[in-house]
Amino acid sequence: MLRNSARVPLKVLSAAVALAVLATTGPATADDPGRGPAADQAQTTEPGYGGDGRSHEPGLDPTPERPPTSEVSWLSFPGGVFAVDSLGHTVRYRACDGDTGRVADPNMRVAAGVASGVVVVGGAAYRYRVPLIGRSEGRLEVIPQHRPPTTLTGVVVTSPQPPTDPVAGARLFPLSGQLARVVADANLNPAGATVRDLSGRYGDQQIAVNGSLRPKAASVIKLWILVELLRRVDCGQVFLDDGVLVTPEDVVGGTGQLQFETFPQVVTLHRLAQYLIKYSDNVAANVLISYLGGFAPVNALIDSMNQRSTILARRMLDSAAAQRGEENYTSPDDVVSLLGAVWDGEILTPASRDLMIGFMREQTLNTKIPAALPPGVPVAHKTGDLPDASHDVGYYLIPGTETAVAFLTAGPMATGDETVRRMARTVYDFLVDPVDGAVEE
């Protein structure tokens, strides 16, 4: 929030939580959003369908007898999250008042699609009852020492979230086949796409082709950097008109505008956040990583949303880190998990959500999704480019058909760009003409 503007009301949590060392998950990785030197070969998964994890044959009833449970879910409540891993028997509380880190609960009870238990961290007890079915209601009681308990309730988030209307959602399934043909044709580029309806037109259904593909994240990782900054704004811990000193040592090349300015100078958090997305600014990304406290807080955000394919492990254009094998990774499913949580107000307040989407609408690198669509189609997006990766992710903002999309590829960037454009146009054609929508040749 800007210090002089009206603040969005946010429930201040009263629990006193000891701040533990922030744990990260997955192998060490890193990010390079510019079109710089080639780094290590992207890791990919075997071709297959991601998203809801089921194949859908014509004529079969897509409605499950009961909503499917997940091994991981997280409870969204004002100011924070409570993550549950029912397979690993771990939990994590992360809110405005602190972060427990990943905590083992060997006595976690999992029954009837609900994980429940109690853990004690730093003198505070956390008694939870969190369903493993998305869109359910969960409950967390925070019991600090010498203070009254706080009861928190909220929506449970899984990846993917189950559809609100399976019958309407079934109408989105043919898009999987169309995207699969585009992916199969991309001989030089392992590719993945995840699509989630946000409008209700398709019952908030999510579909994917190779949704677990895990290429280098490139500049797509900047979305998580922005969300972590805006989360702190929502908590009242920082203000967007706060200034950060940027020095000549912070300047790197690649994409962005700040590299052409004179330093040292003080740059506001608002301008850093805007440039991070609008120009995919590498200087802004590196400065914000330092401002936030390094990689750990961003990875804590990722971990708290159970996004297991994504990690931030190096700064932009850090070739030495890349040579050490430190790389940033993500997946189409994780990207849409983040975009969906932002859209639904599960990780940011409405004011911060609107600001983030506004920055994505200002994107100046428009050679992929926007170039594939007819002029004037409203989109908000974020690109990612490396010599061996090409991505574009974001929102189609067609009124009444709002949709979150993630198109990721590995392999040569030039052919990857074209694959992204074909996937982007395939989705658009389906949305505007679901009966006759076809793959653009």
Side-chain angles (χ1 to χ4, degrees):
M1 67 185 71
L2 293 173
R3 193 189 307 275
N4 297 325
S5 64
R7 300 184 185 178
V8 177
L10 185 66
K11 181 177 181 180
V12 179
L13 306 178
S14 62
V17 182
L19 184 60
V21 176
L22 302 179
T24 61
T25 60
T29 59
D31 170 78
D32 187 337
R35 298 187 175 221
D40 297 334
Q41 178 66 29
Q43 297 180 4
T44 61
T45 58
E46 292 297 322
Y49 290 94
D52 62 4
R54 297 178 292 142
S55 61
H56 306 285
E57 300 295 336
L60 295 183
D61 181 4
T63 306
E65 293 182 2
R66 50 185 279 177
T69 60
S70 173
E71 294 176 350
V72 293
S73 64
W74 53 278
L75 175 64
S76 168
F77 53 84
V81 302
F82 187 82
V84 172
D85 180 340
S86 66
L87 190 63
H89 282 207
T90 63
V91 299
R92 183 173 197 151
Y93 172 90
R94 191 167 195 257
C96 296
D97 59 351
D99 185 347
T100 64
R102 275 283 164 179
V103 179
D105 181 9
N107 297 317
M108 178 187 294
R109 183 173 184 267
V110 181
V114 175
S116 59
V118 59
V119 294
V120 178
V121 184
Y126 301 83
R127 189 185 308 276
Y128 61 92
R129 186 182 187 280
V130 178
L132 301 171
I133 299 171
R135 304 188 192 278
S136 305
E137 183 177 276
R139 183 175 183 271
L140 173 67
E141 188 177 20
V142 184
I143 311 169
Q145 286 183 326
H146 313 304
R147 275 192 273 173
T150 300
T151 299
L152 304 165
T153 59
V155 65
V156 169
V157 182
T158 59
S159 182
Q161 287 281 66
T164 56
D165 183 346
V167 174
R171 300 202 309 268
L172 194 63
F173 295 155
L175 178 58
S176 298
Q178 296 184 13
L179 286 170
R181 287 194 290 273
V182 177
V183 169
D185 288 344
N187 297 325
L188 298 178
N189 298 94
T194 300
V195 179
R196 180 186 295 183
D197 171 46
L198 302 172
S199 67
R201 177 182 177 187
Y202 294 99
D204 301 294
Q205 179 70 53
Q206 177 171 321
I207 58 98
V209 176
N210 289 353
S212 59
L213 180 80
R214 193 174 186 252
K216 296 174 184 176
S219 285
V220 171
I221 200 68
K222 293 171 181 174
L223 292 174
W224 279 273
I225 297 172
L226 177 60
V227 170
E228 175 58 17
L229 174 66
L230 294 178
R231 187 191 71 84
R232 297 190 188 188
V233 171
D234 291 342
C235 287
Q237 297 168 350
V238 302
F239 300 89
L240 288 175
D241 58 359
D242 289 344
V244 180
L245 178 63
V246 181
T247 69
E249 290 72 27
D250 295 317
V251 176
V252 295
T255 54
Q257 296 297 308
L258 286 174
Q259 62 183 297
F260 304 113
E261 299 187 12
T262 301
F263 297 98
Q265 67 163 295
V266 174
V267 182
T268 65
L269 288 176
H270 184 278
R271 189 153 79 100
L272 289 171
Q274 180 183 35
Y275 281 28
L276 178 74
I277 304 301
K278 181 176 181 177
Y279 301 112
S280 197
D281 198 293
N282 292 329
V283 177
N286 288 348
V287 169
L288 285 172
I289 289 171
S290 296
Y291 179 83
L292 293 170
F295 304 147
V298 178
N299 287 323
L301 169 73
I302 293 165
D303 180 62
S304 70
M305 292 186 288
N306 294 317
Q307 292 161 349
R308 300 298 173 81
S309 296
T310 302
I311 191 168
L312 170 68
R314 73 170 172 85
R315 298 173 187 272
M316 309 302 114
L317 293 176
D318 187 344
S319 57
Q323 290 173 2
R324 293 192 299 268
E326 298 166 4
E327 191 53 77
N328 304 329
Y329 292 98
T330 192
S331 69
D333 284 351
D334 275 7
V335 171
V336 167
S337 174
L338 178 70
L339 295 175
V342 169
W343 182 272
D344 291 338
E346 292 159 344
I347 199 68
L348 296 176
T349 63
S352 288
R353 173 199 62 202
D354 293 346
L355 184 66
M356 175 173 169
I357 294 174
F359 290 159
M360 294 173 71
R361 293 193 70 162
E362 295 177 348
Q363 172 69 245
T364 57
L365 306 177
N366 294 315
T367 61
K368 298 180 197 177
I369 289 177
L373 309 186
V377 174
V379 297
H381 68 116
K382 179 72 198 77
T383 58
D385 292 313
L386 286 171
D388 54 358
S390 176
H391 317 314
D392 208 353
V393 308
Y395 303 100
Y396 287 21
L397 297 174
I398 305 166
T401 316
E402 292 84 359
T403 307
V405 299
F407 309 122
L408 273 58
T409 73
M413 184 172 59
T415 50
D417 288 354
E418 180 58 26
T419 297
V420 169
R421 285 190 288 268
R422 291 192 65 204
M423 291 190 290
R425 184 59 186 238
T426 297
V427 173
Y428 173 79
D429 285 346
F430 185 91
L431 294 177
V432 299
D433 190 357
V435 175
D436 299 320
V439 177
E440 183 183 67
E441 298 297 337

